[in-house]
């Protein structure tokens, strides 16, 4: 395979049916031989249904983009991927109301894409505000009352928080006002949610790093 951990990536592809596996394998080796918009839709559809895959899909998307660019200088796949992400972003409130798992998978996926995709070695500006908007929703009191959404918020901030802050520090400040208020004022927080929120507040305060003392305290309590 194209990417660094072939066994791992092959395993991810094996979660698809045989026809789709072949489509993805071809896209990774010879993008001109397949319908890349279809490939983008397949990856997004699967990411919304499978949160394990949504955590790794950015790696696959990055590989397809690199191979397509090297082969033809085109960006058909990236364009199709971003268009589909925008469509899902525009209906994110309906998605959240319809399926909590689908919503968590979508946030995981868009943060994963933000983490992997680069233009001139910089994160894509077009994704900064959509990612922030998703994280702001996760920091609302209605979301903080659900552990799945708190867990998603904290995991994504661990993954992309530092990059996001560099792109727009003011919005990160505003997001952490919400998180702190939620931690201090929300009455519906579980003990696990309180622990996760306190950990991410301290993580950012320490420069997006976990101190040894914090690691010992938090990770003896909760495992990612």
């Amino acid at each position: 395979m194209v990417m660094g951990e072939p066994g791992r990536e092959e395993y991810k592809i094996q979660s698809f049916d045989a026809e789709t596996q072949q489509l993805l394998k071809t896209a990774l080796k010879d993008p001109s031989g397949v319908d890349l918009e279809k490939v983008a839709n397949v990856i997004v559809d699967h990411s919304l249904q499978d949160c394990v895959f949504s955590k790794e899909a950015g790696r696959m998307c990055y590989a397809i983009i690199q191979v397509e660019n090297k082969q033809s200088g085109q960006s058909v796949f990236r364009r199709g991927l971003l268009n589909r992400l925008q469509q899902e972003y525009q209906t994110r409130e309906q998605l959240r109301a319809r399926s909590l798992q689908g919503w968590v998978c979508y946030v995981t996926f868009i943060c994963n894409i933000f983490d992997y995709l680069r233009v001139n070695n910089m994160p894509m500006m077009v994704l900064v505000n959509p990612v922030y908007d998703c994280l702001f929703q996760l920091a609302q009191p209605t979301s903080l009352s659900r552990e799945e959404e708190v867990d998603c918020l904290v995991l994504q901030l661990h993954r992309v928080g530092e990059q996001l802050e560099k792109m727009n520090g003011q919005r990160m400040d505003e997001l952490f006002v919400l998180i702190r208020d939620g931690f201090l004022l929300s009455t519906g927080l579980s003990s696990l949610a309180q622990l996760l929120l306190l950990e991410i507040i301290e993580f950012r305060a320490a420069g997006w790093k976990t101190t040894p003392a914090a690691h010992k305290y938090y990770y003896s309590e909760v495992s990612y």
Side-chain angles (χ1 to χ4, degrees), residues 22-224:
Q22 191 55 50
L23 178 74
L24 294 173
K25 287 179 179 178
T26 305
L28 285 160
K29 294 175 182 175
D30 179 22
S32 63
V34 293
D35 180 345
L36 288 172
E37 287 195 22
K38 180 180 179 181
V39 172
N41 283 322
V42 163
I43 291 174
V44 174
D45 286 341
H46 202 70
S47 293
L48 295 181
Q49 297 167 16
D50 182 346
C51 281
V52 173
F53 179 75
S54 70
K55 294 175 183 176
E56 301 294 337
R59 186 198 308 259
M60 184 183 295
C61 292
Y62 175 76
I64 295 171
I65 288 167
Q66 292 294 101
V67 176
E68 183 192 10
N69 185 59
K70 185 176 180 180
Q71 184 183 68
S72 66
Q74 299 295 308
S75 55
V76 174
F77 175 77
R78 186 176 73 180
R79 188 164 57 249
L81 177 66
L82 293 176
N83 285 343
R84 181 62 194 280
L85 278 173
Q86 183 180 29
Q87 290 170 18
E88 297 296 337
Y89 167 76
Q90 290 170 344
T91 59
R92 65 193 183 281
E93 292 179 9
Q94 295 95 308
L95 173 62
R96 181 174 177 269
R98 186 174 68 249
S99 168
L100 179 59
Q101 178 183 330
W103 158 243
V104 167
C105 287
Y106 174 73
V107 178
T108 302
F109 181 63
I110 194 172
C111 289
N112 198 263
I113 295 299
F114 174 78
D115 190 27
Y116 272 97
L117 267 57
R118 291 285 185 273
V119 175
N120 298 324
N121 210 33
M122 290 288 289
M124 297 187 71
M125 281 299 299
V126 70
L127 292 176
V128 172
N129 281 327
V131 169
Y132 263 123
D133 289 345
C134 290
L135 298 181
F136 267 78
Q137 175 57 61
L138 291 173
Q140 298 299 320
T142 54
S143 295
L144 294 179
S145 65
R146 301 202 279 198
E147 284 184 359
E148 299 95 331
E149 291 189 273
V150 176
D151 190 52
C152 182
L153 172 65
V154 171
L155 286 172
Q156 302 323 312
L157 283 169
H158 270 277
R159 179 163 201 148
V160 300
E162 187 173 9
Q163 296 179 64
L164 274 175
E165 184 161 38
K166 289 175 182 175
M167 304 300 282
N168 188 332
Q170 181 179 342
R171 287 208 76 183
M172 188 60 73
D173 288 341
E174 293 167 357
L175 177 61
F176 269 80
V177 167
L178 268 183
I179 291 172
R180 281 192 297 271
D181 284 353
F183 173 73
L184 294 170
L185 305 175
S186 292
T187 55
L189 290 183
S190 68
S191 57
L192 177 59
Q194 289 177 319
L195 192 73
L196 290 169
L197 293 178
L198 181 58
E199 189 272 337
I200 198 63
I201 291 168
E202 293 192 356
F203 184 72
R204 184 196 179 209
W208 300 102
K209 294 180 176 64
T210 302
T211 64
H215 188 277
K216 183 177 180 181
Y217 177 75
Y218 291 109
Y219 292 93
S220 64
E221 299 290 335
V222 60
S223 170
Y224 288 110

